[in-house]
Amino acid sequence: MRILEMLGSHPLGPPRNIDPWVNALGALHDCSFTCHACADACLLEDGVDNLRRCIRYNLDCAAVCETTAGVLTRCHAEDGDFARTMLEACAIACRRCGADCAHHASRHEHCRICAAACDACAKACDQLIEVLLVPTSTEPPARP
Amino acid sequence: MRILEMLGSHPLGPPRNIDPWVNALGALHDCSFTCHACADACLLEDGVDNLRRCIRYNLDCAAVCETTAGVLTRCHAEDGDFARTMLEACAIACRRCGADCAHHASRHEHCRICAAACDACAKACDQLIEVLLVPTSTEPPARP
Amino acid sequence: MRILEMLGSHPLGPPRNIDPWVNALGALHDCSFTCHACADACLLEDGVDNLRRCIRYNLDCAAVCETTAGVLTRCHAEDGDFARTMLEACAIACRRCGADCAHHASRHEHCRICAAACDACAKACDQLIEVLLVPTSTEPPARP
Amino acid sequence: MRILEMLGSHPLGPPRNIDPWVNALGALHDCSFTCHACADACLLEDGVDNLRRCIRYNLDCAAVCETTAGVLTRCHAEDGDFARTMLEACAIACRRCGADCAHHASRHEHCRICAAACDACAKACDQLIEVLLVPTSTEPPARP
């Protein structure tokens, strides 16, 4: 994905601390795809009766990761209040989905992969929250 | 929209306190559409230079309302922790977007309408958060 | 929903033939919500094994309706080529999902309601396609 | 992204001809992110007045790529009629957006990158359409 290039070409300049942004955007897109794919794989398993909660958590996590990625794409060089709350909600969704997938990881390879993607994404969200909490002294002026 | 009918036909039964659910789902869909439409209208205005922040907030608010509606559609008869955090993030997005739209309401009818939709949605989110905070004593058993 | 008001307040003016636009946007939002809700209801039914295809079609239909509504919100007073193809794809998804839901309509009220929403949406898409096929002689100049 | 791993772990098995699937899913996610980012970058440029069409095409393309990726994730081992129409709509959106971005490529690095992502995605859609057109003689039985 062209995340680093796109952040670097923004007219407001790249975010001050670009690594956790690139990391979070990559993890969010990966987790969103993986959760969509895990939902469909779970749905087609013989034991779908025991995977219903997993599918619901997958669908929530996929949607929240997608939306959070969109919010981050539009938020840099702004106050980060809303972005931070979205990242918190997203980390909850990732942890909830990852924990449920982990229960099925030994039986279903897709759940094993998805648990790893969720775990990586939750951590990437946490790390970007840390960055957004640091007050900015030299914020470039936001446009109206 | 067929919100009441659909909630009533769910195999786990309707939510215990159905009115704020119906109200929130209706307000979220309305706000999402209105924000999408306001973003496009702002973008085509002569004074687009002064509406950039409004467009960004519109796009965030539209996406978050859509995702929150999806989460609510999948969450009833579950513990409401994640739903609550999403509703909080959504209310922030609605208030931020509504406040920005309100600044342009006298010049742009679409911003006036959008500010009203955002305000209604923020309140509907708040009201559903209250409901989700009440502990449930007779929760039907969630399926796996 | 505030569809009529928002289309009327767009800086390029309302679409030339506003009724099928309002009708399609309303049907798309309704169908999207109904499909999301039907997917979750099917997933929680005892006989989920027999509803897997229905759930997949629901998820496709919900996503395509949402995206098509967004495209329509941004497309008026433009050439309609892309909008037309999206409406065609959307009508296919609605007919496919509606037909599958109709099979389960006698057993599951949510499938009965969803089949009706899909049917109404497919027809609304068809009708807007007709409008978009009429060549425009007095199109207002699109902005860059 | 974990595309290859996830397709390989699906209970219906990987698609018969996996390379164009992996290629298309990767290109769709890349193009969706790039278009979202290009929309925000264009919006913040000094000359936003001349980038309005580009922003609208970016938003359409981002949404359609996202939805098409979701459809593909759910469609393998099924008849491909709907997937094919979505891929056609998606290729139109990518070509339209890529052509507009290409006009601004010499002035705006984000438009140059986005034009390349759109071009790659349109080609990946075309290639997967070819695969879906080949009749399947040994399709595994789809589940209900």
Side-chain angles (χ1 to χ4, degrees):
Chain A
M1 296 188 68
R2 298 157 211 251
I3 296 170
L4 183 62
E5 294 165 89
M6 287 306 287
L7 293 183
S9 68
H10 195 283
L12 299 187
R16 282 170 307 137
N17 190 344
I18 200 168
D19 288 350
W21 287 82
V22 173
N23 191 32
L25 282 165
L28 287 161
H29 283 99
D30 191 23
C31 191
S32 176
F33 164 74
T34 307
C35 283
H36 272 303
C38 192
D40 195 63
C42 286
L43 185 63
L44 279 287
E45 290 289 352
D46 280 334
V48 59
D49 304 57
N50 297 313
L51 294 166
R52 290 190 262 215
R53 189 191 295 127
C54 196
I55 295 170
R56 296 175 108 196
Y57 290 178
N58 275 322
L59 294 177
D60 279 348
C61 194
V64 177
C65 285
E66 224 166 75
T67 294
T68 305
V71 167
L72 293 182
T73 305
R74 282 183 293 274
C75 93
H76 83 84
E78 299 242 350
D79 79 293
D81 271 355
F82 169 57
R84 207 156 45 227
T85 313
M86 272 306 294
L87 284 163
E88 285 165 4
C90 194
I92 293 174
C94 291
R95 292 215 156 81
R96 194 180 64 156
C97 184
D100 206 277
C101 276
H103 285 306
H104 316 294
S106 61
R107 253 156 306 145
H108 303 304
E109 177 69 0
H110 47 83
C111 284
R112 192 192 59 75
I113 303 166
C114 194
C118 289
D119 185 55
C121 194
K123 283 175 185 153
C125 289
D126 289 350
Q127 284 163 4
L128 190 52
I129 289 169
E130 289 302 307
V131 170
L132 292 175
L133 286 171
V134 177
T136 52
S137 54
T138 59
E139 201 63 74
R143 293 185 187 272
Chain B
M1 296 188 68
R2 297 159 212 251
I3 297 171
L4 183 62
E5 292 164 271
M6 287 305 287
L7 293 184
S9 68
H10 195 283
L12 299 188
R16 283 170 304 136
N17 190 343
I18 201 169
D19 287 351
W21 287 83
V22 174
N23 191 33
L25 282 165
L28 287 161
H29 283 100
D30 190 23
C31 190
S32 177
F33 164 74
T34 307
C35 284
H36 271 304
C38 191
D40 194 63
C42 286
L43 186 63
L44 278 288
E45 290 288 354
D46 280 335
V48 60
D49 304 56
N50 297 314
L51 295 166
R52 290 190 263 214
R53 190 190 296 125
C54 195
I55 294 170
R56 295 175 109 197
Y57 290 178
N58 275 322
L59 293 177
D60 278 346
C61 194
V64 177
C65 286
E66 224 165 75
T67 294
T68 305
V71 168
L72 293 182
T73 305
R74 280 182 295 273
C75 95
H76 83 82
E78 297 243 350
D79 79 293
D81 270 354
F82 170 57
R84 205 153 50 225
T85 314
M86 272 307 295
L87 284 162
E88 284 165 5
C90 194
I92 294 174
C94 291
R95 294 217 154 80
R96 194 181 64 156
C97 184
D100 207 278
C101 276
H103 284 304
H104 316 294
S106 61
R107 254 155 307 145
H108 302 304
E109 176 70 357
H110 47 83
C111 284
R112 192 191 60 73
I113 302 167
C114 193
C118 289
D119 185 55
C121 194
K123 283 176 185 153
C125 290
D126 289 349
Q127 283 162 5
L128 190 53
I129 290 169
E130 289 302 307
V131 170
L132 292 175
L133 286 171
V134 177
T136 52
S137 54
T138 57
E139 200 64 74
R143 292 185 188 272
Chain C
M1 296 187 67
R2 297 159 212 250
I3 297 172
L4 183 62
E5 292 163 272
M6 286 306 286
L7 293 183
S9 68
H10 196 282
L12 300 187
R16 282 170 305 137
N17 190 344
I18 201 169
D19 288 350
W21 287 82
V22 174
N23 191 32
L25 282 165
L28 287 161
H29 284 100
D30 189 23
C31 191
S32 178
F33 164 73
T34 307
C35 284
H36 272 304
C38 190
D40 194 62
C42 286
L43 185 63
L44 278 287
E45 289 288 353
D46 280 334
V48 58
D49 304 58
N50 298 312
L51 295 166
R52 292 189 261 216
R53 189 191 294 125
C54 196
I55 294 169
R56 296 175 108 198
Y57 289 179
N58 275 323
L59 294 176
D60 279 346
C61 195
V64 177
C65 285
E66 223 165 75
T67 294
T68 304
V71 168
L72 293 182
T73 304
R74 283 182 294 273
C75 94
H76 83 81
E78 297 245 348
D79 80 293
D81 270 356
F82 170 56
R84 205 154 48 226
T85 313
M86 272 308 293
L87 284 162
E88 284 165 5
C90 194
I92 294 174
C94 291
R95 293 216 154 81
R96 195 180 64 156
C97 185
D100 207 277
C101 277
H103 284 306
H104 316 294
S106 61
R107 252 157 307 145
H108 302 304
E109 177 70 359
H110 48 83
C111 284
R112 193 192 61 72
I113 302 167
C114 193
C118 288
D119 185 55
C121 194
K123 283 177 184 152
C125 290
D126 289 349
Q127 283 163 5
L128 189 54
I129 290 170
E130 289 302 308
V131 170
L132 292 175
L133 286 170
V134 178
T136 52
S137 55
T138 57
E139 199 65 73
R143 292 187 188 269
Chain D
M1 297 187 68
R2 297 158 213 251
I3 297 172
L4 183 63
E5 293 164 271
M6 286 305 287
L7 293 183
S9 68
H10 196 283
L12 300 186
R16 282 169 305 135
N17 190 345
I18 200 170
D19 287 349
W21 287 83
V22 173
N23 191 31
L25 282 165
L28 287 161
H29 284 101
D30 190 24
C31 191
S32 177
F33 164 72
T34 309
C35 283
H36 272 304
C38 191
D40 194 63
C42 285
L43 185 63
L44 279 287
E45 290 288 353
D46 280 335
V48 59
D49 304 56
N50 297 312
L51 293 167
R52 291 191 262 216
R53 189 192 294 127
C54 196
I55 294 169
R56 295 175 108 197
Y57 290 180
N58 275 323
L59 293 177
D60 279 347
C61 195
V64 177
C65 285
E66 223 165 76
T67 294
T68 304
V71 169
L72 294 181
T73 304
R74 281 182 295 273
C75 93
H76 84 84
E78 298 241 349
D79 78 294
D81 270 355
F82 170 56
R84 206 154 48 226
T85 313
M86 272 307 294
L87 284 162
E88 285 165 3
C90 194
I92 294 175
C94 290
R95 293 216 155 81
R96 194 180 66 156
C97 184
D100 207 277
C101 277
H103 285 306
H104 316 294
S106 61
R107 253 158 305 145
H108 303 305
E109 178 69 359
H110 48 81
C111 283
R112 192 191 61 72
I113 302 166
C114 193
C118 288
D119 186 53
C121 194
K123 283 175 184 151
C125 290
D126 289 350
Q127 283 163 5
L128 190 53
I129 290 170
E130 289 302 307
V131 170
L132 293 175
L133 286 170
V134 177
T136 52
S137 54
T138 58
E139 199 65 72
R143 293 187 189 268

